[in-house]
Amino acid sequence: GAGVSQSPSNKVTEKGKDVELRCDPISGHTALYWYRQSLGQGLEFLIYFQGNSAPDKSGLPSDRFSAERTGGSVSTLTIQRTQQEDSAVYLCASSTTGHLGSYEQYFGPGTRLTVT
Amino acid sequence: QKEVEQNSGPLSVPEGAIASLNCTYSDRGSQSFFWYRQYSGKSPELIMFIYSNGDKEDGRFTAQLNKASQYVSLLIRDSQPSDSATYLCAVGGSYNTDKLIFGTGTRLQVFP
């Protein structure tokens, strides 16, 4: 079956512009995660959606960042008034859930954001 | 104190050798443990997961878990140059969360 897809694969934007990044999870996966990875760095958790529950936004670095998930499927991460420090690869992952709590996450190919 | 710790490496091993990658975690309530491989410029790829103490084998890969010592490892037998990548350890917390905590990864280099 299809994996996690993300679009665009690359995005170059000018400082101060808004950007929207899209994630389409694996069909049937109820949990969706956004991470950020700067060059040579580890994964930075941003936000997590689980079914119809309120999202866990604890990783969002500032109020310029927001995300929504429509219909329990596709998610959009929006960055307003982009700054150069926002340049990174934005990764989306999805997973099923169960009694163990944490199940394996499958990652999309990422969106490379460059703010000039 | 970091929640999931890995040696950043690089860990250099010759082709054909066993590569041993280690990870420690701080949350004693952790229930699930994952190893991801990330090639340069690519996204992480799940290669192993383990939930119970002991060993779990899949091809050339063996995951080892010791909850008492809060330690999880990945062994790669017959290492190949194509195994050269960064290996991320991820740990799932208590029953009431689906979030994983990722280590910063260990870079493995397999030389011919």
Side-chain angles (χ1 to χ4, degrees):
Chain A
V4 178
S5 60
Q6 292 186 246
S7 61
S9 55
N10 280 285
K11 177 71 177 179
V12 180
T13 190
E14 293 180 353
K15 178 182 173 180
K17 300 283 190 181
D18 297 353
V19 295
E20 286 189 351
L21 312 179
R22 176 188 166 105
C23 172
D24 202 338
I26 294 172
S27 177
H29 279 191
T30 56
L32 185 148
Y33 312 78
W34 283 98
Y35 297 89
R36 178 169 72 174
Q37 189 172 36
S38 300
L39 188 63
Q41 302 300 308
L43 292 175
E44 177 187 3
F45 166 77
L46 297 177
I47 188 169
Y48 152 56
F49 295 89
Q50 170 53 275
N52 296 320
S53 303
D56 177 347
K57 305 179 182 179
S58 60
L60 294 179
S62 77
D63 59 9
R64 295 187 296 104
F65 289 72
S66 63
E68 63 177 18
R69 188 178 184 191
T70 54
S73 182
V74 172
S75 176
T76 302
L77 177 69
T78 300
I79 308 173
Q80 296 179 311
R81 305 181 302 281
T82 52
Q83 304 294 312
Q84 288 186 329
E85 61 263 28
D86 299 334
S87 297
V89 175
Y90 289 80
L91 291 162
C92 175
S94 70
S95 74
T96 59
T97 57
H99 69 282
L100 281 178
S102 302
Y103 273 53
E104 54 269 30
Q105 295 180 17
Y106 295 91
F107 284 83
T111 293
R112 182 175 299 278
L113 175 66
T114 304
V115 182
T116 61
Chain B
Q1 180 186 4
K2 290 184 180 178
E3 296 183 58
V4 178
E5 295 207 40
Q6 297 182 255
N7 189 315
S8 62
L11 172 66
S12 293
V13 300
E15 184 174 358
I18 295 174
S20 178
L21 304 161
N22 305 314
C23 172
T24 58
Y25 59 95
S26 61
D27 182 358
R28 282 196 170 276
S30 299
Q31 300 292 327
S32 50
F33 307 86
F34 306 87
W35 284 99
Y36 288 82
R37 177 176 61 198
Q38 187 173 25
Y39 291 114
S40 180
K42 300 295 186 181
S43 60
E45 172 193 10
L46 178 70
I47 54 173
M48 289 286 290
F49 59 89
I50 186 167
Y51 299 130
S52 304
N53 273 327
D55 295 0
K56 179 181 179 182
E57 186 175 319
D58 183 1
R60 296 186 297 113
F61 299 100
T62 298
Q64 299 177 316
L65 174 60
N66 185 324
K67 289 186 179 180
S69 300
Q70 295 173 243
Y71 177 95
V72 58
S73 64
L74 179 70
L75 302 178
I76 306 175
R77 290 182 299 282
D78 189 23
S79 296
Q80 301 297 310
S82 58
D83 294 326
S84 298
T86 296
Y87 289 80
L88 304 173
C89 172
V91 176
S94 305
Y95 289 113
N96 63 351
T97 177
D98 296 305
K99 286 169 62 175
L100 297 182
I101 307 300
F102 283 83
T104 53
T106 298
R107 189 157 64 93
L108 173 66
Q109 294 178 335
V110 181
F111 56 91

